[in-house]
Structures are given as structure tokens and as C-alpha cells.
Amino acid sequence: MTWRSNCHADDEVAGGFHDAGDHAMFGLPQGFTASTLGWAYYEFPDAFDDLGQTEHLKMITDYFCDFFKKSTKLNGDTVTNFLYQKGDGTVDHSYWGPPEQQGSGRKMFWTSNGASEIAAQYAAALAANYKNFGNAEDLKYAKALYKFSKQHNQLAPNNFYGSNSLKDDQAWAAGWLAIATGDNSYVNDARS
């Protein structure tokens, strides 16, 4: 949009989508949105193709997945740290103005042992994007984030999108990893 300019370009990790009408970037709705868009394309690729929207959808899901990968620090196939939220919601909600004028120094929320529901949602989105469009790096990160989620089993500390369970998110990720890989161990995880 010509009447808007870039915003939050100096964040520690670039990218992501603003949440609702505010400027915080919460991991749970981003992961859910990206995985649901991937599911829509997986189920109805002809509809997207017939409407000429496949490339547009791919651009959006790639943008999400690029952000999820930039938000994840790997050591081999192990997640050592990942960013599950950008911007403090309380601080953000006290600012009413365009995001490009919000300023710098937004708080980044990293974890090395939690936010398992968000890691699982990121994993689901990455696995769906791999299945739909074939980027091998998406699958690598999906597997690592899913493993991280199961290893720690800790909910993110968040008073905006609090979750009282992570099992649904882990089952969702396991289902997508089963579809993406054909590995029945993910099916067993989803069932349990």
C-alpha cells in the first residue's frame, strides 16, 4: 500500500503478521492461521488454481514459514531457542497509531524450554507448507519444532492468548507431519 511504509524493520527477527488491529505478533494465532491456510490449499488446490490464487497463497504461507524459521535457532536438528511472541501486548495496547511510527526496541519473547503449543502450531504450518509446495527446509524445521514441543510440554506464559492445553496443538502437528512424511510414528503420536 503506497500510503503505508515498512514497520518494525529493526525488530530482532524480521517478519511475521500483526495480530488483529494491534501491533503485537503472537505466535499462537500466527501458527494457527498459517496451518489452516495450508490445510485449505491441501484440501482444495483446484479451487485456488481455478481462481488464480495459488501463487498468492504460496506467497503468504511462505512468508509465515520464513518467519517461523527465522524465529527458530537450531543446533543440528534440535531447537535451542525460539521466538514465540514479538512485542509486549500490554505496552502495545497503550499505543494508538500506525505501526511504522511505533518506534524500536520492542520486546522479543524467546524460550529454550516452553511455548510447546506454539512450537507445535509452527511445526504444523511448516509441515503443511512442505506438503503443499515442497520446500525441504520447511520439513526440517517442522520436525525440530515438533520434537521441541514434545520434549518440553510447557505452555507459553501469555495473558492474551492463553491456552489450557497443548495436546490439541501437538496432535495437529503430528497429523501434518504424518501427511508430509508418511511416517506412522506421527500417526501414533496423534492418536495418543
Side-chain angles (χ1 to χ4, degrees):
M1 294 179 270
T2 58
W3 52 277
R4 300 306 294 261
S5 60
N6 293 335
C7 63
H8 306 302
D10 59 350
D11 281 351
E12 183 181 351
V13 175
F17 285 95
H18 290 140
D19 183 70
D22 55 20
H23 308 139
M25 298 178 178
F26 298 102
L28 198 59
Q30 285 196 82
F32 177 79
T33 300
S35 62
T36 302
L37 287 171
W39 181 23
Y41 182 79
Y42 176 75
E43 293 288 341
F44 306 106
D46 293 344
F48 285 89
D49 292 343
D50 292 347
L51 294 169
Q53 294 299 308
T54 299
E55 284 306 309
H56 184 65
L57 172 86
K58 183 179 183 310
M59 178 189 70
I60 292 168
T61 58
D62 281 350
Y63 184 84
F64 269 120
C65 289
D66 287 345
F67 172 68
F68 299 156
K69 290 181 288 191
K70 286 188 288 188
S71 297
T72 305
K73 294 181 181 179
L74 292 180
N75 181 4
D77 66 348
T78 300
V79 174
T80 59
N81 214 357
F82 91 101
L83 179 69
Y84 66 92
Q85 180 179 323
K86 287 176 55 171
D88 183 307
T90 302
V91 171
D92 181 81
H93 289 170
S94 68
Y95 170 76
W96 291 88
E100 58 267 32
Q101 294 176 11
Q102 191 171 14
S104 61
R106 294 185 341 136
K107 185 172 180 179
M108 302 291 113
F109 292 80
W110 291 90
T111 184
S112 60
N113 62 0
S116 297
E117 75 278 33
I118 298 168
Q121 283 290 343
Y122 287 9
L126 287 155
N129 207 50
Y130 167 76
K131 180 64 178 174
N132 290 335
F133 302 113
N135 182 343
E137 190 178 51
D138 288 348
L139 184 58
K140 173 185 173 181
Y141 277 82
K143 289 177 177 180
L145 281 160
Y146 178 69
K147 184 174 87 173
F148 175 90
S149 175
K150 282 183 39 179
Q151 177 185 0
H152 297 291
N153 285 316
Q154 297 285 330
L155 294 169
N158 186 326
N159 58 356
F160 292 93
Y161 287 98
S163 179
N164 60 5
S165 171
L166 51 85
K167 298 297 182 190
D168 55 334
D169 304 296
Q170 289 174 334
W172 181 238
W176 276 110
L177 282 160
I179 291 168
T181 65
D183 182 342
N184 280 334
S185 68
Y186 292 117
V187 174
N188 295 335
D189 280 1
R191 287 182 177 151
S192 68

